[in-house]
Amino acid sequence: MSEPRRTALDALHRALGATMTDFAGWDMPLRYASERDEHTAVRTRAGLFDLSHMGEITVTGPAAGQALDHALVGHISALAVGRARYTMICAPDGGILDDLIVYRLGDEEYMVVANASNAQVVLDAVTERAAGFDAAVRDDRDAYALIAVQGPESPGILKSVTDADLDGLKYYAGLPGTVAGVSALIARTGYTGEDGFELFVAPGDAEKLWQALTEAGADAGLVPCGLSCRDTLRLEAGMPLYGHELTTALTPFDAGLGRVVKFDKPGDFVGREALTAAAAKAEAAPPRKLVGLVAEGRRVPRAGYPVVAGGEVVGEVTSGAPSPTLGKPIAMAYVDAAHAAPGASGVGVDIRGTHEPYEVVALPFYKRQR
């Protein structure tokens, strides 16, 4: 078994007393103190995350956009410089290999950000699929550390250490700038349901930036946050996690995310034929639908638990956790269409042989006040 990889902030996490865990081959902070307190800080103030395990892949060249149009399901060449897009890369049979964010950094430069667990798969697939185009694919996983500041206080905290135009930075956009004297790509996306920013920086600058943000956010209640609260935050916000809501066994249409597939873009793309069939099938007979479940009791559902109604299995939990914001356990689950409507009665989760009652709700569980 190979040693887990460590981020540029590893020593700092340990100095802060973080509980570390192996995540997709990386040693990552799970929590620093209380995951509930970290979760609440992001919802009400601000949290600081090390996301350096994410996989960055740079695609450059005159046909970089066309190469990505072919490799991914989105119309990437239509992105304006400085904007970002949520998209997916699918296998030829339509199964989801990963969900991605792609940034257009210049006329002939794009950055693809993959999940840590799939970064090598995505790199290999994009490299292979771009082979016939005038484009170069570069593995930039070691070129970046990634720090995120998330929460309602994050714009104010970041403004105090940068002169970049944050007010003009839209959601799903990025711009180069200097933060606390460090060169960074400043992106405004996120995985928490809150406003926030991701800062792509050279690994050697990561510690300086983390410390500067920590000091800038001290009066605003900023705290360091681990993967555990990141998971409860994204679950409340109804955001899918690869390996749970998204897998190679599902197409984007099965996951209720068919909107990311752009059939009207020029040229062919990998998976088009299979996804055309999946789209038609989903329209004719809706597949199981991804819904929210809110517990009436206290028992927490976990991934893989059966969803039941009338003594029959009608679905499966994909993610479950106690929700600090709602104060009760919640889950996302794929459920047969007949039981997927919000308020559907008689739905429960089989938790070790006991059918615990759950309310079916529309996703997300939590939506911030904009």
Side-chain angles (χ1 to χ4, degrees):
M1 195 67 187
S2 58
E3 283 287 303
R5 298 181 67 181
R6 297 186 171 195
T7 77
L9 294 165
D10 184 79
L12 195 143
H13 298 316
R14 292 169 195 277
L16 289 170
T19 300
M20 305 296 285
T21 189
D22 181 8
F23 182 80
W26 289 82
D27 220 4
M28 297 297 294
L30 188 62
R31 71 181 75 80
Y32 296 85
S34 152
E35 53 207 48
R36 177 179 285 269
D37 290 349
E38 291 171 25
H39 179 110
T40 304
V42 176
R43 285 278 177 259
T44 58
R45 304 185 306 276
L48 195 58
F49 296 84
D50 178 9
L51 305 181
S52 302
H53 61 314
M54 301 294 280
E56 296 86 8
I57 299 156
T58 304
V59 184
T60 56
Q66 286 83 353
L68 287 169
D69 283 347
H70 174 67
L72 315 180
V73 300
H75 191 178
I76 308 304
S77 63
L79 260 183
V81 173
R83 295 310 302 264
R85 184 158 294 164
Y86 176 78
T87 186
M88 294 182 184
I89 182 167
C90 288
D93 69 359
I96 302 165
L97 294 175
D98 201 14
D99 62 333
L100 312 163
I101 294 178
V102 180
Y103 296 89
R104 187 167 194 173
L105 304 181
D107 287 335
E108 298 185 359
E109 184 179 5
Y110 298 79
M111 182 169 70
V112 177
V113 182
N115 286 297
S117 56
N118 297 327
Q120 190 64 48
V121 169
V122 175
L123 176 66
D124 292 344
V126 171
T127 302
E128 183 187 324
R129 295 173 187 188
F133 296 84
D134 188 1
V137 180
R138 189 173 70 232
D139 179 1
D140 270 347
R141 284 177 288 179
D142 293 335
Y144 292 104
L146 178 55
I147 293 172
V149 54
Q150 294 275 309
E153 298 290 343
S154 58
I157 293 168
L158 196 55
K159 273 180 192 171
S160 71
V161 289
T162 184
D163 55 6
D165 177 20
L166 297 186
D167 291 334
L169 186 64
K170 295 186 173 75
Y171 187 51
Y172 267 74
L175 86 168
T178 304
V179 184
V182 166
S183 290
L185 171 66
I186 306 166
R188 194 173 207 155
T189 63
Y191 196 53
T192 61
E194 299 299 336
D195 192 9
F197 304 86
E198 282 77 36
L199 306 167
F200 295 86
V201 299
D205 292 332
E207 202 164 313
K208 178 185 175 186
L209 180 58
W210 180 282
Q211 298 287 23
L213 289 166
T214 298
E215 286 165 28
D219 292 343
L222 174 90
V223 301
C225 293
L227 292 179
S228 190
C229 83
R230 181 171 156 88
D231 193 49
T232 52
L233 288 159
R234 71 92 197 166
L235 179 55
E236 288 184 349
M239 293 176 169
L241 175 64
Y242 195 87
H244 289 255
E245 288 72 41
L246 309 174
T247 70
T248 50
L250 298 170
T251 72
F253 296 94
D254 295 322
L257 292 165
R259 66 179 183 275
V260 304
V261 182
K262 305 301 181 190
F263 291 116
D264 57 354
K265 62 180 172 175
D268 196 13
F269 65 92
V270 178
R272 178 193 276 274
E273 202 177 318
L275 290 168
T276 301
K281 189 176 158 194
E283 208 168 309
R288 280 186 166 179
K289 194 171 179 213
L290 189 63
V291 301
L293 299 174
V294 178
E296 292 178 23
R298 309 301 311 163
R299 295 183 76 188
V300 179
R302 297 296 179 192
Y305 284 11
V307 178
V308 290
E312 300 287 317
V313 174
V314 298
E316 184 176 308
V317 171
T318 52
S319 297
S323 163
T325 305
L326 276 63
K328 44 181 88 164
I330 59 172
M332 286 201 277
Y334 282 109
V335 174
D336 291 349
H339 301 278
S345 61
V347 174
V349 176
D350 185 338
I351 300 182
R352 298 192 187 90
T354 306
H355 291 187
E356 299 283 340
Y358 273 75
E359 182 191 355
V360 178
V361 300
L363 292 170
F365 300 96
Y366 165 86
K367 209 166 192 175
R368 72 182 169 100
Q369 305 302 307
R370 289 181 187 270

